[in-house]
């Protein structure tokens, strides 16, 4: 059984890997903003050692093989350590592991050792070597020092430590130049070391700062989304408290009174217990109304709240149309649609824009006997294609509850993907013919509501 399970796991993993290779866009689309920035930063920093390897090998081409082999060996070790340090240092920046101190020390030591080997090769070159020999060895020397600083600062805590690393690399470049080269060449070598090491260090520190800022912004966005959901739960709790608080207090008092009357064998105890039973049944009915959403909700308040909550979560929200004039049952049904849709936008996907549109579609001259329809559309982006498809097909408990609420008003609900990385929810509720005229009239209240929503 174990072997069969292992084969099945391997087959499943292989199929998943092949699917990821065939559809890299879906793999990238499923990532959030912070994950995308982290992936881009990781790829960029992992290309640093590769660039060092290619540049140094091309520079060592004119040098004799016997002299270039030791430098190439140190270069390969330095590149391998750099790749490992990059991954572990970025994990440390993300808070997933401890700081790789030993690996950092090994990488820095290998870098200075490689620079020393390049310096020895430069010293042991034959008398009056070609100028390309000097250029190759000096360039490799600078690459060792520059990349040691550029990648080493990923695992350093403070800017002061980074400045010390650049100063040490610059001093090493000046030390080699003053020992082997004339004064102008030594100054040029120190300057090139300073510029290359300082430039890579500055780029690394800025990238780490940007990555940390993205982490903090993403955490703040998720915190706001969780607070919005918590606020919704608190509002539901307040509704339950309003429904049950008074009734439970009355039940407690009447039960205590019934106990006292029963002890005295008074016939009024039966009446009090019958009253307790009536209040309990009424409370049960009211709780069911709250759970099923039969209590009236204010569509205007929900639209304003949706825009405020989404804006606080960093999502641009556009609201068009006003609920003024719509019948209260229609507003209550559509208000629950807005509430559930906004909750889904905050919980699922990585939306940047959300559009909420409320319109009243007239029946038309040929549609005799058919009422007008109030149509509410909620559309957001940032939803992967697989998630959009699954959301539209399964529906979930939230959408199923919305369909039940709309069905009570002969309404319908449509939910599904709308183009690439977008999701659209459309709710339609018929408006009685005698109230259609009031639903679309732009009176003073409607104009004031429109201005507040805009």
């Amino acid at each position: 059984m174990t072997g069969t399970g292992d084969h099945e796991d391997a087959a499943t993993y292989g199929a998943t890997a092949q699917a990821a290779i065939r559809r890299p866009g879906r793999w990238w689309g499923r990532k959030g903003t912070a994950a995308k920035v982290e992936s881009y930063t990781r790829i960029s920093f992992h290309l640093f050692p590769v660039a060092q390897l290619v540049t140094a090998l091309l520079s060592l081409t004119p040098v004799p093989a016997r002299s270039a082999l030791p430098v190439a060996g140190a270069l390969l070790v330095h590149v391998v350590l750099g790749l490992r340090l990059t991954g572990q240092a970025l994990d440390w920046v993300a808070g997933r592991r401890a700081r790789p101190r030993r690996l950092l020390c090994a990488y820095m030591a290998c870098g200075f050792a490689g620079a020393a080997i390049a310096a020895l090769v430069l010293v042991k070159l034959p008398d009056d070597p070609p100028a390309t020999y000097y250029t190759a060895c000096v360039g490799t020397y600078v690459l060792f020092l520059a990349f040691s600083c550029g990648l080493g600062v990923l695992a350093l805590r403070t800017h002061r430590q980074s400045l010390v690393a650049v100063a040490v690399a610059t001093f090493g470049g000046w030390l080699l130049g003053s020992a082997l080269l004339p004064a102008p060449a030594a100054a040029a070598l120190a300057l090139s070391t300073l510029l290359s090491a300082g430039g890579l260090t500055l780029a690394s520190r800025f990238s780490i700062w940007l990555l940390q800022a993205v982490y903090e912004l993403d955490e703040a966005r998720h915190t706001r989304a969780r607070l919005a959901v918590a606020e919704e739960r608190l509002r539901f709790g307040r509704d339950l408290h309003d429904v049950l608080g008074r009734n439970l207090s009355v039940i407690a008092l009447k039960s205590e009174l019934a106990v006292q009357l029963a002890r005295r064998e008074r016939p009024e105890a039966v009446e009090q217990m019958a009253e307790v039973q009536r209040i309990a049944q009424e409370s049960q009915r009211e709780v069911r109304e709250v759970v099923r959403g039969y209590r009236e909700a204010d569509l205007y308040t929900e639209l304003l709240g949706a825009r405020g909550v989404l804006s606080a979560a960093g999502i641009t929200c556009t609201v068009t149309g006003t609920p003024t004039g719509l019948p209260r049952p229609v507003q209550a049904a559509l208000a629950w649609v807005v509430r559930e849709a906004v909750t889904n936008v905050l919980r699922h996907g990585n939306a940047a824009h959300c559009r909420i549109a409320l319109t009243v579609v007239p029946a038309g001259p040929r549609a005799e006997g058919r009422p007008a329809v109030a149509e509410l559309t909620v559309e957001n982006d940032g939803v992967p294609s697989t998630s959009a498809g699954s959301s539209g097909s399964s529906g979930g408990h939230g959408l199923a509850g919305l369909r039940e609420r709309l069905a009570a008003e002969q309404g319908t609900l449509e939910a599904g993907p709308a183009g690439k990385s977008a999701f659209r929810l459309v709710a339609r509720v018929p408006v009685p013919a005698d109230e259609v005229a009031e639903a679309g009239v732009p009176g003073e209240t409607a104009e004031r509501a429109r201005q507040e929503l805009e």
Side-chain angles (χ1 to χ4, degrees), residues 1-17:
M1 295 298 292
T2 304
T4 303
D6 293 341
H7 287 301
E8 291 178 354
D9 293 342
T12 303
Y13 175 79
T16 304

Side-chain angles (χ1 to χ4, degrees), residues 286-304:
E286 291 180 352
V287 168
R288 287 175 179 174
E289 290 180 356
V290 171
V291 173
R292 293 177 182 176
Y294 291 153
R295 294 185 65 189
E296 290 187 354
D298 187 8
L299 180 56
Y300 173 68
T301 303
E302 292 297 332
L303 290 174
L304 288 178

Side-chain angles (χ1 to χ4, degrees), residues 379-397:
E379 183 175 345
N380 63 280
D381 59 359
V383 180
S385 57
T386 55
S387 298
S390 61
S391 298
S393 59
S394 62
H397 297 289

Side-chain angles (χ1 to χ4, degrees), residues 69-212:
L69 282 178
V71 181
L75 177 65
L76 290 175
V77 175
H78 194 244
V79 168
V80 172
L81 291 177
L83 292 173
R84 291 193 59 188
L85 177 64
T86 299
Q88 295 187 15
L90 292 177
D91 287 339
W92 169 67
V93 172
R96 303 189 186 104
R97 61 169 301 145
R99 187 159 69 118
R101 293 185 177 87
R102 295 182 179 179
L103 186 57
L104 173 63
C105 295
Y107 180 71
M108 299 293 287
C110 182
F112 284 101
I117 294 174
L120 291 177
V121 170
L122 183 62
V123 171
K124 293 186 177 181
L125 287 177
D127 296 337
D128 195 17
T132 54
Y133 284 16
Y134 275 106
T135 304
C137 293
V138 171
T140 306
Y141 179 89
V142 173
L143 287 176
F144 272 114
L145 296 179
F147 279 93
S148 296
C149 290
L151 291 180
V153 296
L154 296 178
L156 297 180
R157 294 185 181 275
T158 63
H159 298 294
R160 182 176 298 178
Q161 295 175 348
S162 302
L163 293 176
V164 170
V166 174
V168 171
T170 305
F171 177 75
W174 174 83
L175 187 64
L176 174 66
S178 61
L180 302 177
L181 301 174
L189 179 60
L191 181 61
S192 62
T193 305
L194 174 62
L195 293 178
S196 57
L200 288 176
T201 300
L202 181 62
S204 299
R205 296 299 301 184
F206 176 77
S207 299
I208 292 301
W209 172 81
L210 180 63
L211 184 60
Q212 291 175 340

Side-chain angles (χ1 to χ4, degrees), residues 336-362:
W336 282 103
V337 175
V338 173
R339 186 180 301 180
E340 180 66 24
V342 171
T343 302
N344 289 336
V345 171
L346 293 173
R347 284 182 174 179
H348 309 296
N350 187 30
H353 302 278
C354 181
R355 181 180 66 90
I356 304 176
L358 176 63
T359 57
V360 178
V361 181

Side-chain angles (χ1 to χ4, degrees), residues 325-327 330 360 370-375 409 429-437 439:
L326 289 177
V330 175
V360 178
R370 295 182 182 178
V373 176
E375 182 177 286
E409 301 296 332
V429 181
V431 180
D434 55 346
E435 302 185 22
V436 173

